[in-house]
Amino acid sequence: MSAMNGASSLVASLEAAGVDVMFGIPGGAILPAYDPIFSSSIRHILVRHEQGAGHAATGYAQVTGRVGVCIATSGPGATNLVTPLADAAMDSVPVVAITGQVPSLAIGTDAFQEADIRGITMPFAKHNYLITDPADIPRAIAEAFHIASTGRPGPVLVDIAKDALQKMTDFNYPTSVSLKGYQPRTITCAESITDAADLIAQSSKPVFYVGGGVIKANASRELFELAQLLGAPVVTTLMARGAFPDSHPLNLGMPGMHGTVAAVTALQKADLLITLGARFDDRVTGKLSTFAVNAKVIHADVDPAEIGKNRFADVPVLGDLKHTITALIPALKESLAKNRPDLTPWLRQMNSLKTTYPVGYDIPTDGSLSPQYVIERLGKISGPQTIFASGVGQHQMWASQFISYEYPRTWLNSGGLGTMGYAVPAAMGAKVGAPDTTVWAIDGDGCFQMTNQELTTCALNNIPIKVAIINNESLGMVRQWQTLFYEGRYSNTNLESKRVPNFPMLAEAMGCIGLSCDRPEDVDATIEKAMSSDNQPVVVDFRVNRDAMVWPMVAAGTSNDEIMIARETAPDWGSQEL
Amino acid sequence: MAQHTLEVIVENSPGVLARVAGLFARRAYNIERLSVGPTSNPETSKMEIVVNLDGHVLEQVIAQLDKLVNVISIIEILPDEVQPIVHDTQPDYQN
Ligand SMILES: Cc1ncc(C[n+]2csc(CCOP(=O)(O)OP(=O)(O)O)c2C)c(N)n1
Ligand SMILES: [Mg+2]
């Protein structure tokens, strides 16, 4: 125990929690904390917008599996964190946000830069604190890290009144955390494992429906073993790309609104969904009442509230997925020894769909650049170790579809909230967490204009990320919906971003290398040029055809059975008896 | 739909009522009646929440409530029977 002010106690607590980096911007209410930060072992990266700090913390957490930390002042600093914290909540990312608050006596008086950030974040934060007594700081920080990183991970906010940072206190970091109302279940109950194994051994059309939880639980290796053991097809959701290698013959790709025909159909026609860390999101299920109507459901998750939320679980399996899958492997071996159904007809059907309907695209006949081609080449040339972070829109779907993900934590995106502006700051955080790995942001021209200011942060702090702008001069995903559902009335989706801004010049202005490319024959050379400079951020303006669309597509609110592989074109189901 | 009475023991900390009320509001569950009072332990309070929900939705309410860090336990009070139902919010299977 030692005497110090609340600010020093905060920084000592963050050090004790193992923080090595945080992203933030100072201001009045948090200023006392910035003094001890100045001499702390923690690297503080001064961002240009608090939203960037929040997404950077998320990117860092998604790549490292550790808690990401962001810090901001009261009022506008704190409210600028709202979007990234909501984003982290939807995608279950462990993030701790520290905010300064006006002095405790001023709270509730509409003081300068007062915002009730605890109240504002209450609906989505996993938990949050308002600290007015400096003695509470170490415990709040210890609890925040514990809550953010255990069970189903999520964002926790600690709001600290300025006077609590200034007053003297005794620093005493708790050695353990015990919370009466928070005890996430880690060990999976043996009975549910046996029931799951027995049900699997009775199924002739099982599918592994794999969600982001497998990556969070670091259970990819276990999943690999389980999938090999059963030999059943695997689908990986948008949040789970990389949880199971795309190159594996059992992998049918991504299910959902823009999923592959094989993945969508496998879920629809299965007699059993082996659901691992997925949550039956509407973008995956389509119209829920018509989703996988003949399937029984095993639902394994660490969050009890997810099990049975959208879809009844015949066998609920509550617990940490790493433990669950590890326990399921021997149990399944035992069940299969008694009864091993022949999965060959099912696999043959799914493989035929996979080969008949791979994700593909048309090369524009006018010689213009195809966005899918650019993204495909980025994946091929950069290789499977590369980390990709995408924005939200068409380019996001293509980045999921046309890059082969082989390892967990190599694909970062905003899946749940769909936050435009995620890519650049998330890539920044990812590069800080994995400095020796190539990190590409694949961003839209719209998304890029929301958060590109963090390229300045990257340039000044030696964070050499690479950004591929898929410049279709429009809010492409919205434009696609206007094409399909609003008779091509393109209301407010034309960004004109082939005229303004000049992206390479903008990049150069922020201390990055700016490149551009608009011919298919230059794509490889441009990517290689971007790959060759590793001490400065690089931005490439890929000027692509604006009319490309994302296919396949299940229109919102319709049944997965109505999947389209191109405009007004359903797959030819022919004599496929599924 | 039948009325169900939930006895929710919460930490006696500021903002707890807002957390519980907010949860009901944002997930569009109606509260029929709500009362908050002390318990013999000064560190906890007791909420009695009456809801008009059944089956799956009731289970969801309880599961979501239990995720609030400040919520310690949830018991369903049954008028006609002596034994209350203890909801640990895990599917029945796991009890
Ligand atoms: C912050 C935010 N605002 C609006 C939207 C709605 N939205 C979804 S995709 C999209 C277009 C994105 O445009 P761009 O970044 O150019 O990507 P593209 O679809 O063209 O690849 C919009 C506006 C959103 N997801 N997030
Ligand atoms: Mg665009």
Side-chain angles (χ1 to χ4, degrees), chain A residues 10-307:
Chain A
L10 168 65
V11 174
S13 299
L14 293 170
E15 286 168 349
V19 177
D20 57 2
V21 62
M22 54 189 177
F23 302 87
I25 303 186
I30 195 68
L31 200 49
Y34 271 79
D35 194 62
I37 284 174
F38 202 38
S39 47
S40 160
S41 65
I42 301 173
R43 177 182 181 199
H44 179 281
I45 295 172
L46 175 61
V47 298
R48 293 299 180 269
H49 188 298
E50 290 86 354
Q51 184 184 356
H55 291 315
T58 297
Y60 172 89
Q62 284 175 310
V63 158
T64 61
R66 308 180 57 204
V67 177
V69 182
C70 51
I71 178 164
T73 195
S74 67
T79 55
N80 275 347
L81 285 178
V82 169
T83 297
L85 293 181
D87 183 273
M90 290 289 262
D91 287 345
S92 309
V93 184
V95 169
V96 167
I98 312 289
T99 47
Q101 182 54 278
V102 299
S104 48
L105 284 177
I107 291 177
T109 66
D110 306 315
F112 177 63
Q113 293 196 326
E114 179 180 3
D116 173 15
I117 194 63
R118 188 186 51 152
I120 291 170
T121 55
M122 219 175 248
F124 53 80
K126 189 170 173 189
H127 194 49
N128 54 19
Y129 294 85
L130 169 60
I131 303 297
T132 52
D133 179 347
D136 293 339
I137 290 173
R139 184 189 46 81
I141 295 297
E143 288 181 8
F145 278 80
H146 175 67
I147 293 169
S149 60
T150 54
R152 177 181 182 171
V156 180
L157 175 124
V158 184
D159 193 27
I160 311 176
K162 186 172 186 180
D163 53 324
L165 294 171
Q166 290 166 320
K167 279 188 207 149
M168 292 304 285
T169 180
D170 284 323
F171 172 68
N172 191 4
Y173 196 73
T175 47
S176 67
V177 171
S178 132
L179 293 160
K180 274 201 202 120
Y182 178 76
Q183 278 140 4
R185 165 95 63 130
T186 49
I187 304 301
T188 317
C189 116
E191 197 189 334
S192 64
I193 295 284
T194 322
D195 286 4
D198 287 346
L199 192 56
I200 296 172
Q202 287 160 28
S203 155
S204 54
K205 297 177 184 179
V207 184
F208 288 102
Y209 164 26
V210 174
V214 169
I215 295 176
K216 308 269 153 38
N218 294 317
S220 294
R221 206 165 282 164
E222 291 77 5
L223 169 65
F224 192 88
E225 199 184 326
L226 180 67
Q228 298 265 58
L229 169 63
L230 183 62
V234 177
V235 305
T236 49
T237 68
L238 183 62
M239 290 310 295
R241 309 284 295 119
F244 187 75
D246 270 337
S247 60
H248 196 288
L250 289 173
N251 196 335
L252 302 180
M254 178 174 75
M257 180 176 272
H258 293 297
T260 65
V261 173
V264 171
T265 311
L267 291 180
Q268 283 306 86
K269 304 296 180 192
D271 67 0
L272 177 65
L273 306 184
I274 308 166
T275 314
L276 305 171
R279 59 185 178 88
F280 296 88
D281 180 79
D282 54 271
R283 283 297 192 260
V284 167
T285 63
K287 191 174 168 194
L288 194 56
S289 60
T290 65
F291 174 69
V293 285
N294 297 319
K296 292 212 158 152
V297 171
I298 295 169
H299 195 167
D301 207 286
V302 72
D303 179 357
E306 282 305 336
I307 299 178

Side-chain angles (χ1 to χ4, degrees), chain A residues 303-315:
Chain A
D303 179 357
E306 282 305 336
I307 299 178
K309 184 182 79 177
N310 291 340
R311 171 71 183 244
F312 176 77
D314 300 273
V315 179

Side-chain angles (χ1 to χ4, degrees), chain A residues 394-395 443-447 470-477 493 495 497:
Chain A
Q394 292 182 310
H395 64 282
D443 214 0
D445 50 318
C447 293
I470 307 301
N471 182 357
N472 54 7
E473 54 191 327
S474 50
L475 299 168
M477 185 57 95
T493 46
L495 292 172
S497 22

